[in-house]
Amino acid sequence: METDCSLLNLIKELYPICRSITGEGVRETLRIIQKRVPLEIQEVPSGTKVFDWTVPLEWNVTDAYVMNREGKRVIDFQSHNLHLMSYSVPVRKKMSLEELRPHLFSLPAHPEWIPYRTSYYKENWGFCMRHVDFEELSDEEYDVVIDSTLQAGSLTYGELYLPGEASDEILVSCHVCHPSLCNDNLSGITVAVKLAETMAARSRRYSYRFLFIPGTIGSITWLAQNEQIVPRIRHGLVITGVGDAGNVTYKKSRQGDAEIDRAMTHVLRHSGEAHSIIDFFPYGYDERQYCSPGFNLPIGCFMRTLHGQYPEYHSSADNLDLVRSESLSRSYADCLQAFELLEGNRVYVSQNPRCEPQLGRRGLYRAVAGQQENQCRELALLWVLNMSDGRHALLDIADRAALPFGQIQSAAEALVEAELLKEYRSPGND
Ligand code: ZN
């Protein structure tokens, strides 16, 4: 498998930035993505009502630390942005270890890792630290400083719309709200950027919309403000956690048998890679919002190891060592193949439905005689001819024939060329 260094390079560039669900870190991230694809950066003011939620105050941080009596920073946001709990309110106070302790978080099971904690919707503050450092803290007075602002501003997200022949859309969504975490957050962003670059350079049957949004509140905000676009979404993927060494996990849409579910299942089954396909459940990433019952969109979630099932999840060990160029490239290739399948998944009608047409006379058998998998190709021609009755799309035929979609598609193209097949146009669907 050809690996693509540009994917890992983008992760390296974005890794140091302190992101959260709002604030300068998200803007800076989107501006870097903008150098690759022409994203529009959208700002939604704090206080905007979005369904049952409200766009929160904007959070920014310049510095945060806990300093001991000798003037040493025993916890320092400058050395790792995970040290500060996201959305911590400003603090400037001297306090004892006793007072400080309820605001300290560590991972006894992984004493060298810094945990990732947030408190978006409840005013709080906290520091996250290596358990080994936590155990070193002595009972003394500390200077606790969180130089943050939590004030009216906006929620920022990025949106790229690529118009196609049809106004029907394929939606790709990834979250951009985690700070220095590589697999959970940056891997999804980088694969989505690469897919956007590829699709932008191609002619497209579908329109594509790429959303780079803060998790949960971002998809809720987008859905609340774009209800008129929602009916155009025909297929979609949430892409996240696609850089670790584990196998692919595809979580189906709530519908369970949407075309994207069938397309992804087909791609993975024929990929030769170990993978698992799991049913929808209302926990995880932004598929929770897209697949809420009032929308019930045909949007699945493409991951590798499931969130929470790798020990490095939501800790400083989800770093550059955890993500692999090969996993990113394979994830990209699988998603691209699913889009190619959806692009090519058309319905045809045989122009010679009464008994088989004589393929040899038209050079269709001979044309493939010298090629490998000769028999499969002949079989593909027969399957396409037999099932093209205006009611079966090429993916139905590929699955029924247990042949790769590409082979069925090539057979259909050859039959169209020989005027034995015509694309089906349902009335009113030009
Ligand atoms: Zn996460």
Side-chain angles (χ1 to χ4, degrees):
M1 176 94 201
E2 186 195 344
T3 58
D4 182 345
C5 294
S6 74
L7 289 164
L8 213 48
N9 289 342
L10 181 58
I11 290 185
K12 284 179 188 160
E13 192 176 355
L14 297 174
Y15 179 61
I17 301 171
C18 181
R19 279 164 291 268
S20 186
I21 53 171
T22 63
E24 278 307 319
V26 175
R27 291 191 191 97
E28 191 183 344
T29 299
L30 296 176
R31 283 194 292 266
I32 289 170
I33 298 171
Q34 240 175 1
K35 289 191 251 166
R36 310 241 180 164
V37 289
L39 272 192
E40 280 189 35
I41 297 180
Q42 313 281 6
E43 302 279 356
V44 182
S46 304
T48 305
K49 291 292 282 175
V50 287
F51 298 121
D52 199 40
W53 299 59
T54 305
V55 173
L57 295 174
E58 183 177 324
W59 184 71
N60 286 292
V61 54
T62 46
D63 201 6
Y65 57 86
V66 174
M67 193 184 276
N68 68 11
R69 266 197 307 233
E70 285 105 69
K72 185 184 171 226
R73 290 185 175 205
V74 292
I75 312 171
D76 186 3
F77 169 77
Q78 304 296 346
S79 72
H80 203 303
N81 61 40
L82 288 180
H83 279 311
L84 181 65
M85 184 166 79
S86 194
Y87 260 68
S88 283
V89 296
V91 175
R92 188 171 288 268
K93 205 179 166 210
K94 287 194 191 301
M95 53 182 89
S96 64
L97 184 58
E98 180 90 0
E99 273 178 282
L100 183 57
R101 212 192 297 269
H103 296 278
L104 299 179
F105 304 94
S106 66
L107 297 169
H110 297 286
E112 297 288 341
W113 300 353
I114 310 166
Y116 166 52
R117 292 279 186 281
T118 66
S119 187
Y120 300 138
Y121 303 105
K122 185 172 167 259
E123 279 212 354
N124 200 354
W125 61 272
F127 285 93
C128 303
M129 62 194 305
R130 294 176 180 88
H131 195 66
V132 286
D133 295 334
F134 174 76
E135 289 191 307
E136 296 276 290
L137 292 176
S138 56
D139 196 2
E140 58 178 290
E141 194 177 61
Y142 291 95
D143 256 331
V144 180
V145 172
I146 299 176
D147 194 357
S148 65
T149 54
L150 198 54
Q151 51 197 206
S154 55
L155 175 151
T156 312
Y157 69 89
E159 183 165 16
L160 173 70
Y161 178 68
L162 302 172
E165 279 166 44
S167 60
D168 291 349
E169 291 187 9
I170 295 181
L171 182 84
V172 177
S173 179
C174 59
H175 63 285
V176 294
C177 53
H178 289 28
S180 294
L181 294 168
C182 282
N183 195 44
D184 182 9
N185 192 70
L186 297 181
S187 68
I189 294 172
T190 187
V191 166
V193 167
K194 174 92 176 150
L195 287 167
E197 284 176 326
T198 302
M199 296 318 298
R202 290 190 180 182
S203 65
R204 300 168 296 270
R205 171 187 171 199
Y206 285 109
S207 301
Y208 288 74
R209 190 179 301 274
F210 290 82
L211 296 179
F212 298 86
I213 52 173
T216 308
I217 189 67
S219 50
I220 292 171
T221 299
W222 189 86
L223 286 164
Q225 301 210 320
N226 292 280
E227 281 194 86
Q228 77 291 354
I229 291 172
V230 169
R232 295 191 225 147
I233 300 171
R234 305 307 298 269
H235 321 285
L237 285 178
V238 169
I239 301 178
T240 179
V242 288
D244 65 279
N247 298 326
V248 168
T249 305
Y250 176 67
K251 176 182 173 181
K252 291 195 274 189
S253 71
R254 182 175 178 271
Q255 297 179 20
D257 60 348
E259 201 175 326
I260 183 68
D261 301 326
R262 297 183 47 227
M264 201 47 101
T265 302
H266 183 93
V267 166
L268 292 173
R269 186 186 294 151
H270 289 275
S271 70
E273 299 169 47
H275 63 272
S276 54
I277 293 167
I278 58 177
D279 284 328
F280 177 80
F281 52 89
Y283 182 69
Y285 294 98
D286 286 305
E287 69 280 8
R288 293 157 65 167
Q289 314 311 329
Y290 300 123
C291 297
S292 57
F295 289 111
N296 201 23
L297 289 172
I299 293 180
C301 183
F302 186 92
M303 302 165 273
R304 301 197 80 88
T305 307
L306 205 65
H307 46 88
Q309 295 195 358
Y310 50 100
E312 301 89 347
Y313 174 75
H314 280 190
S315 84
S316 57
D318 181 358
N319 59 20
L320 292 163
D321 295 333
L322 188 70
V323 289
R324 299 183 172 202
S325 198
E326 193 189 323
S327 297
L328 295 167
S329 296
R330 278 184 184 276
S331 301
Y332 159 77
D334 289 339
C335 293
L336 182 62
Q337 259 201 301
F339 294 162
E340 286 170 343
L341 194 160
L342 294 168
E343 290 275 332
N345 191 24
R346 296 165 194 247
V347 178
Y348 294 90
V349 186
S350 169
Q351 302 302 294
N352 194 100
R354 291 163 187 252
C355 300
E356 291 174 359
Q358 203 186 343
L359 296 178
R361 178 160 64 79
R362 292 177 170 85
L364 282 167
Y365 273 156
R366 205 180 42 226
V368 296
Q371 296 178 20
Q372 282 185 330
E373 296 174 355
N374 182 11
Q375 272 189 323
C376 274
R377 285 175 182 262
E378 285 179 22
L379 210 54
L381 290 169
L382 296 176
W383 272 110
V384 172
L385 280 170
N386 186 280
M387 287 189 71
S388 289
D389 53 6
R391 288 184 292 134
H392 297 93
L394 295 186
L395 178 57
D396 300 319
I397 302 173
D399 280 341
R400 177 82 182 270
L403 290 171
F405 183 83
Q407 249 171 50
I408 291 292
Q409 193 178 22
S410 305
E413 281 161 9
L415 291 166
V416 168
E417 182 86 359
E419 295 179 351
L420 287 170
L421 208 64
K422 250 192 175 163
E423 192 174 348
Y424 175 72
R425 300 271 178 201
S426 64
N429 178 20
D430 292 312

